[in-house]
Amino acid sequence: MLKLSGEALSLPNGGGYDEEEIRDVARQVKESVDQGVEVGIVIGGGNYWRGRSSKDIDRTKADQIGMLATVMNCIYVSEIFRAEGMKTAIFSPFACGTMTDLFSKDRCNILFKEGYVLFFAGGTGHPYFSTDTGIVLRGIELDADVILLAKSIDGVYDSDPGKNPDAKKYDTVSIQEVIEKQLKVVDLTASALCADYKMPLAVFDLKEEGAISAAMKGDIHGTIVTV
């Protein structure tokens, strides 16, 4: 399972899509798909929406806007993947017209075996849960080997490296330590699910050349979160 940041896929000035960046991601994923690796993808919605733009917007409604942002992102990125020669399907936990299919574990496993890359949009379908929780939930349901987190930072640190020049980067760290020290690899709900269901994580820099391709071969140029 691969988690992509919506913000990391946006244009340098923010918003929209950096098509060349997304094509590069697609080409890297295709290397593994061509070798028979089953790949599921979750994309955040940060290039369109983060939190509430106004205190007058209800939290539930704000989260629903975020869910729809991830649907738009999955449709766009899915089309780029198709242009690069892959078969794709998009699943969501709620009805979205003919744009997505309702999530079904059985249907997903059939498509995985047929070589499809599957996109999981809409998070969990409920407010108060992030796309972090969404990808861990889908990873557990579909018996994923690992969740790969492609971020705008090259791993997990003991403090914010943007604020602390002496921040220490971990090569490996346990999910228990992530929770205890609040290292914010994923949110607390997602961290607890990883701990309970023994789902390992790997964190690496999306912008590093070939990072996704390497990660899918087990070569993590970042931090491995053990369980």
Side-chain angles (χ1 to χ4, degrees), residues 136 139-140 144-147 149 171-179 185-186 188-203 223-227:
V136 174
I140 292 167
D145 295 313
V146 64
I147 292 172
L149 303 172
D171 291 326
T172 62
V173 63
S174 71
I175 192 65
Q176 288 77 18
E177 191 171 355
V178 166
I179 294 169
V185 178
V186 289
L188 189 58
T189 302
S191 296
L193 280 171
C194 287
D196 287 346
Y197 293 95
K198 309 301 180 188
M199 177 59 66
L201 307 167
V203 182
T223 302
I224 296 173
V225 181
T226 62
V227 290

Side-chain angles (χ1 to χ4, degrees), residues 50-124:
R50 290 192 71 83
R52 286 176 284 183
S53 62
S54 166
K55 62 181 177 59
D56 294 324
I57 297 179
D58 177 75
R59 170 63 188 271
T60 296
K61 299 303 181 184
D63 285 358
Q64 289 171 346
I65 295 170
M67 291 176 212
L68 292 175
T70 71
V71 172
M72 290 190 293
N73 283 347
C74 283
I75 292 171
Y76 183 92
V77 176
S78 168
E79 285 303 297
I80 300 298
F81 273 53
R82 290 187 181 195
E84 292 296 325
M86 286 172 277
K87 297 180 291 186
T88 67
I90 305 170
F91 288 91
S92 62
F94 47 78
C96 203
T98 59
M99 293 178 284
T100 68
D101 294 316
L102 280 175
F103 175 77
S104 159
K105 177 176 180 175
D106 292 341
R107 180 64 178 155
C108 287
N109 283 329
I110 289 170
L111 292 179
F112 274 141
K113 287 181 171 56
E114 293 178 359
Y116 279 73
V117 176
L118 303 187
F119 289 81
F120 300 103
T124 66

Side-chain angles (χ1 to χ4, degrees), residues 150-212:
K151 297 196 169 200
S152 56
I153 190 170
D154 65 347
V156 180
Y157 287 78
D158 62 355
S159 59
D160 186 345
K163 298 178 180 177
N164 178 15
D166 296 319
K168 172 191 170 186
K169 179 184 170 184
Y170 295 96
D171 291 326
T172 62
V173 63
S174 71
I175 192 65
Q176 288 77 18
E177 191 171 355
V178 166
I179 294 169
E180 289 167 7
K181 294 184 176 180
Q182 298 184 29
L183 297 178
K184 298 181 180 177
V185 178
V186 289
D187 65 39
L188 189 58
T189 302
S191 296
L193 280 171
C194 287
D196 287 346
Y197 293 95
K198 309 301 180 188
M199 177 59 66
L201 307 167
V203 182
F204 58 93
D205 185 359
L206 172 65
K207 301 294 185 180
E208 180 183 327
E209 185 176 352
I212 292 174

Side-chain angles (χ1 to χ4, degrees), residues 124-140:
T124 66
H126 299 282
Y128 301 97
F129 294 99
S130 70
T131 49
D132 288 343
T133 303
I135 192 169
V136 174
L137 177 63
R138 293 294 177 244
I140 292 167

